Amino acid sequence: MTTGLFFVVFSVCVVLTIPGTAENDRHHQPGDFTLGGLFLLRYTSEDGRCGNVYPTGFAHVEAMIYAIDKINANRSLLPNTTLGYDIRAYCTNNENLMEQAYAFVRRNEMLAELQNSSNECEVINNITKSEPTPVVAVIGPSDSGTAVLVASLMQVARIPLISHSATSSELSSPQYRHFFRTASLDGQQASAMADIIERFNWSYVAAVAMVDSYGRNGVWKLESEAAERDTFCVSFVEYIPPQKYTTKLERAVMKLKSYPNIRVVILWLVDLYGRQFLEIATREKLFDRTCEALATNDPSAITKLIEE
């Protein structure tokens, strides 16, 4: 087996004022049909507060705005129709997330109340008859743990939710009939991982995963692949919570150091946690392991470790 770290990386008018939401976490434009956007722009710090910026989230916002602007500019695509958007930012704090998601539901509820009102001069929380249309669907969120929470709320409100990267098999349940996605399922990714493990004849692997639906279902599928193939073993799993995660990541690295016979670690982590795991591994000079990762889209982090 080759030593060093080896990576397989799978890898954005009329103002609607809704109580409890912040305008600096929102970007919107009216249209005949309004698409919602729910994108991660900040990570949660160790103490549970919204903290570090997630640069990729800004790219998601810009991509949505760009796509809608291009569609609106091409009159042959949607003749006599314009798309609007209501994009909201969240951080990996469930309270902040659900506050932003509920804003879509409340917006639709208030517009429905206004439409059914007999008083055309009625004003409900600054919404008037000239206010844009309800949100017909929401794009996002990016991760499975977040998508499970939001999909439950959108299911009740009957608002379709379309994620670009949530992969948990849990979201395929009939419970989430209004959830759709464009990414492959964890099961397919775990099967691809198992193929790679078999190809290199790796007998023992460990896994470091998120504690949410994404990590748990991914690891469960990988363990199922191991049991079915009977060619490798998942020796141990360390789950990483969204808060106070540094200690857990450090513990995972130290545990790997104490198991010299385990030469491969599967990183089932989202970006921030994956990069921090690699940084801790570098600090602890854990260079004699192979990492198979759905972990990071930051090329500089990979380059830094390979150069070590």
Side-chain angles (χ1 to χ4, degrees):
M1 181 184 300
T2 303
T3 60
L5 288 173
F6 167 74
F7 298 90
V8 181
V9 182
F10 293 86
S11 332
V12 220
C13 120
V14 178
V15 174
L16 172 66
T17 302
I18 296 180
T21 63
E23 281 300 314
N24 59 355
D25 288 332
R26 181 183 182 222
H27 193 58
H28 52 105
Q29 175 178 292
D32 298 316
F33 295 93
T34 301
L35 292 173
L38 192 61
F39 298 114
L40 174 67
L41 292 189
R42 288 175 292 166
Y43 284 113
T44 303
S45 60
E46 292 276 5
D47 60 2
R49 299 174 182 271
C50 295
N52 294 335
V53 170
Y54 176 54
T56 303
F58 288 95
H60 293 157
V61 173
E62 292 293 339
M64 181 172 176
I65 291 176
Y66 176 80
I68 290 176
D69 285 346
K70 294 294 285 186
I71 292 171
N72 287 338
N74 188 337
R75 307 315 301 169
S76 65
L77 293 177
L78 295 174
N80 303 317
T81 301
T82 59
L83 295 179
Y85 51 79
D86 185 354
I87 299 175
R88 296 176 181 273
Y90 71 93
C91 71
T92 50
N93 172 295
N94 287 344
E95 181 180 358
N96 173 264
L97 163 69
M98 296 309 289
E99 178 183 341
Q100 296 293 357
Y102 179 69
F104 295 125
V105 177
R106 185 57 183 146
R107 167 187 174 138
N108 285 9
E109 289 176 344
M110 290 190 292
L111 287 170
E113 290 173 12
L114 184 59
Q115 185 177 18
N116 295 328
S117 172
S118 60
N119 183 0
E120 293 190 359
C121 295
E122 182 178 0
V123 177
I124 303 176
N125 290 330
N126 294 337
I127 299 180
T128 68
K129 286 290 186 179
S130 62
E131 186 58 38
T133 53
V135 171
V136 296
V138 175
I139 308 300
S142 58
D143 64 282
S144 298
T146 299
V148 167
L149 294 174
V150 177
S152 298
L153 177 60
M154 296 298 142
Q155 179 71 29
V156 174
R158 300 182 182 276
I159 300 175
L161 183 68
I162 308 170
S163 175
H164 49 287
S165 56
T167 57
S168 173
S169 57
E170 181 179 356
L171 290 160
S172 296
S173 166
Q175 177 182 350
Y176 305 109
R177 295 188 305 276
H178 288 75
F179 176 79
F180 305 91
R181 55 181 152 201
T182 59
S184 60
L185 304 183
D186 284 341
Q188 295 170 299
Q189 296 173 351
S191 180
M193 283 185 166
D195 287 343
I196 294 172
I197 292 170
E198 284 189 333
R199 170 65 178 80
F200 288 98
N201 296 315
W202 295 330
S203 299
Y204 299 98
V205 302
V208 181
M210 302 301 298
V211 77
D212 60 11
S213 177
Y214 169 63
R216 289 192 179 279
N217 282 282
V219 168
W220 175 81
K221 179 58 178 175
L222 184 65
E223 291 175 330
S224 297
E225 289 281 346
E228 182 178 340
R229 299 175 187 231
D230 198 27
T231 56
F232 66 93
C233 173
V234 181
S235 300
F236 72 84
V237 181
E238 284 289 325
Y239 287 104
I240 309 302
Q243 283 88 41
K244 299 183 179 179
Y245 48 83
T246 299
T247 300
K248 292 287 188 178
L249 289 170
E250 289 174 342
R251 187 174 75 177
V253 170
M254 298 311 294
K255 191 170 184 177
L256 281 168
K257 290 185 71 173
S258 68
Y259 283 81
N261 63 314
I262 299 177
R263 315 301 293 179
V264 179
V265 55
I266 310 298
L267 302 183
W268 215 290
L269 304 170
V270 295
D271 295 50
L272 173 68
Y273 308 94
R275 288 198 303 271
Q276 189 155 340
F277 174 88
L278 300 178
E279 289 169 359
I280 295 171
T282 300
R283 186 187 70 204
E284 295 296 328
K285 302 186 183 304
L286 191 66
F287 301 131
D288 57 347
R289 301 292 192 275
T290 297
C291 290
E292 188 174 350
L294 287 84
T296 178
N297 59 3
D298 183 357
S300 65
I302 297 176
T303 302
K304 177 182 177 182
L305 285 166
I306 291 177
E307 289 175 348
E308 294 286 348

